[in-house]
């Protein structure tokens, strides 16, 4: 059989631990037998990041800007224990943080749904995608604990030294707490554009909620920016695609999401996204079934699994023990990237192949063949629990029936 040719290279970001092992298995079993894979390879494994003083992460992000599509393996974000384990020159920053700040993008997380693994919320029939604004608010705050009588004020000083003041609270001797937070207009605008673009890309409705009735300047600014950009740049395109942009108060949005059948993209302010993405992934079943894509406002895409490097399984693997690590989200990172590359380069066979690989993965699970994490939560009766490699081989067997 002729392998599918590619035109533009895909930016390939390799990673760490168990997911690095899965990465190679996926390439060997599910990709290179069928595609003449053209990638520009960057090794984001912690050893090589350390060797290059993390230059490789920056280079991979710049390559993504240049080519437009990347696929990324999970990577270690070093902490003190990792500095010792890998004898690091320093505690390098999170690669995802570095890539996100270079691409200025928004992360969209979507669960992969299979029959037999039923969401806790029984009316959710379609995946709910969470878009989290990953800049500012309480994540870059300034806080104080007050334990005496006094006045707290918000003060803004302009370039000429003029001050604007607003009273926060007059504390009595019992004290309390205060917090200052901020966001910047360009970041909110980028967030809005990434969300509108991704909604068009996915042909899904976009919902956004904030608390503008209470927060009349802060949250209202978010609401206004979304509205203005939508009216000026996206309204017609949304109408043509038959999708909707819907704004409401955050509590109303939460209530509606719970009663919905799913299927929307839910844009969240930073804190809401932090909280709601964990709720959505646990309600849909497993972190191992969550895909993640970073979308820049200019339309650059970086696909990955939402989970980490699965360290505990890796240590078992190193001891020569068999692992049963779920590769589904990593497989879908590859298919997402291949579909996007196929779309941009007009290679219909590549898109078709990626879709078949997704179907084969789902069908394999729905026929009862799965890894241990899913075996523990499925409602199916007759199941076969497979090792990491045997699951990938089972997907290949299903894929062969399509090709
Ligand atoms: P994790 O790798 O996501 O794993 C946490 C636990 O969730 C695992 O121990 C495992 O549970 C389960 N799990 C996650 N993915 C699974 C899969 N594919 N198949 C089966 N089970 C899965 O999170 P972590 O242990 O907190 O972090 C490990 C490393 O990953 C850290 O160094 C962190 O910096 C990094 N990380 C990277 C990214 C990224 O690159 N995007 C994201 C998050 C974390 P059991 O052990 O109970 O089987
Ligand atoms: Mg969280």
């Amino acid at each position: 059989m002729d392998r599918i040719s590619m035109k533009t290279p895909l930016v390939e970001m390799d990673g760490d631990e168990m997911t690095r092992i899965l990465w190679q298995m996926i390439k060997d079993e599910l990709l290179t037998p069928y595609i003449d894979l053209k990638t520009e390879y960057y090794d984001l494994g912690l050893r090589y990041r350390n060797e290059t003083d993390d230059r490789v992460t920056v280079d991979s992000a710049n390559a993504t800007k240049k080519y437009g599509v990347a696929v990324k393996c999970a990577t270690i974000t070093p902490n003190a224990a990792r500095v010792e384990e890998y004898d690091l020159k320093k505690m390098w920053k999170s690669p995802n943080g570095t890539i996100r700040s270079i691409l200025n993008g928004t992360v969209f997380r979507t669960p992969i749904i299979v029959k037999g693994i039923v969401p806790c919320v029984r009316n959710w029939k379609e995946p709910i995608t969470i878009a989290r604004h990953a800049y500012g608010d309480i994540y870059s705050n300034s806080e104080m604990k007050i334990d005496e009588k006094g006045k707290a004020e918000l003060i803004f000083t302009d370039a000429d030294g003029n001050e604007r003041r607003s009273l926060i609270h007059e504390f009595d001797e019992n004290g309390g707490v205060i917090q200052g937070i901020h966001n910047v207009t360009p970041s909110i605008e980028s967030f809005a554009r990434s969300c509108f673009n991704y909604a068009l890309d996915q042909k899904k409705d976009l919902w956004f909620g904030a608390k503008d009735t209470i927060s009349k300047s802060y949250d209202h600014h978010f609401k206004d920016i979304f509205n203005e950009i939508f009216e000026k740049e996206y309204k017609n395109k949304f109408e043509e695609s038959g999708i909707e942009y819907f704004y409401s108060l955050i509590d109303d949005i939460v209530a509606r999401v719970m009663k919905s059948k799913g299927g929307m993209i839910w844009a969240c302010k930073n804190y809401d996204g932090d909280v709601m993405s964990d709720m959505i992934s646990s309600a849909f079943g497993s972190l191992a079934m969550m895909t993640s894509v970073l979308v820049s406002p200019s339309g650059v895409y970086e696909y990955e699994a939402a989970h980490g490097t699965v360290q505990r399984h890796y240590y078992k693997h190193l001891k020569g023990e068999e692992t049963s690590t779920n590769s589904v989200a990593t497989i879908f990172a590859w298919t997402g990237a291949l579909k996007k590359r196929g779309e941009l380069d007009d290679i219909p066979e590549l898109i078709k192949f990626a879709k078949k690989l997704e179907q084969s993965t789902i069908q394999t699970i729905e026929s009862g063949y799965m890894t241990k994490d899913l075996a523990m939560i499925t409602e199916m009766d007759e199941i076969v629990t497979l090792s990491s490699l045997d699951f990938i081989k089972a997907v290949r067997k299903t894929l062969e029936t399509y090709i």
Side-chain angles (χ1 to χ4, degrees), residues 7-12 38-42 59-70 103 299-301 337 340-341 344-345:
K7 292 174 188 163
T8 316
L10 198 58
V11 176
E12 175 184 354
K38 198 169 167 185
T39 72
E40 194 163 292
Y41 180 86
Y42 292 87
D59 290 346
S60 73
N62 285 327
T64 306
K65 259 187 174 168
K66 177 175 163 195
Y67 294 117
V69 188
L103 299 182
V300 166
Y301 291 73
K340 182 49 81 181
R341 200 63 272 169
L344 295 175
D345 292 351

Side-chain angles (χ1 to χ4, degrees), residues 88-262:
L88 301 181
K89 296 180 204 165
K90 63 186 252 201
M91 204 186 288
W92 305 110
K93 281 193 261 176
S94 148
N96 286 52
T98 302
I99 295 165
R100 195 165 58 215
S101 72
I102 293 173
L103 299 182
N104 186 21
T106 297
V107 173
F108 296 83
R109 277 175 153 210
T110 310
I112 300 154
I113 296 192
V114 295
K115 286 194 203 97
I117 293 163
V118 184
C120 309
V121 181
R122 63 176 187 277
N123 43 285
W124 286 355
K125 305 290 180 211
E126 287 170 47
I128 295 169
T129 299
I130 294 269
R132 173 180 173 190
H133 181 215
Y135 178 86
D137 301 353
I138 64 161
Y139 301 88
S140 40
N141 64 0
S142 169
E143 303 188 325
M144 275 183 214
K145 188 162 173 286
I146 309 294
D147 41 26
E148 61 191 314
K149 193 172 152 76
K151 183 164 74 171
E153 286 177 292
L154 209 52
I155 306 170
F156 173 75
T157 314
D158 74 14
D160 300 325
N162 305 310
E163 282 184 357
R164 270 164 65 194
R165 284 167 181 263
S166 163
L167 178 70
I168 298 171
H169 192 69
E170 296 254 13
F171 287 95
D172 64 21
E173 61 285 357
N174 296 310
V177 281
I178 52 174
Q179 168 173 245
I181 60 170
H182 82 283
N183 221 296
V184 291
T185 301
S187 173
I188 305 168
E189 288 172 346
S190 294
F191 175 51
R193 287 200 176 90
S194 294
C195 290
F196 290 129
N197 285 340
Y198 195 61
L200 285 169
D201 184 77
Q202 295 291 301
K203 295 209 169 33
K204 288 181 176 176
D205 291 344
L206 178 69
W207 291 16
F208 177 46
K211 197 73 184 175
D212 63 283
T213 47
I214 299 296
S215 172
K216 290 185 168 62
S217 299
Y218 201 107
D219 276 26
H220 216 293
H221 193 50
F222 279 79
K223 178 186 178 182
D224 289 344
I225 286 174
F226 267 74
N227 267 342
E228 277 161 31
I229 291 180
F230 178 69
E231 290 294 328
K232 267 196 216 132
E233 301 171 28
Y234 292 95
K235 199 176 180 181
N236 294 337
K237 292 182 202 156
F238 267 52
E239 269 168 21
E240 282 162 23
S241 289
I243 57 173
E244 263 186 16
Y245 168 58
F246 175 61
Y247 175 86
S248 188
L249 288 172
I250 181 67
D251 36 353
D252 180 48
I253 291 280
V254 170
R256 285 173 191 257
V257 165
M258 292 309 289
K259 296 269 180 176
S260 76
K261 65 174 178 42

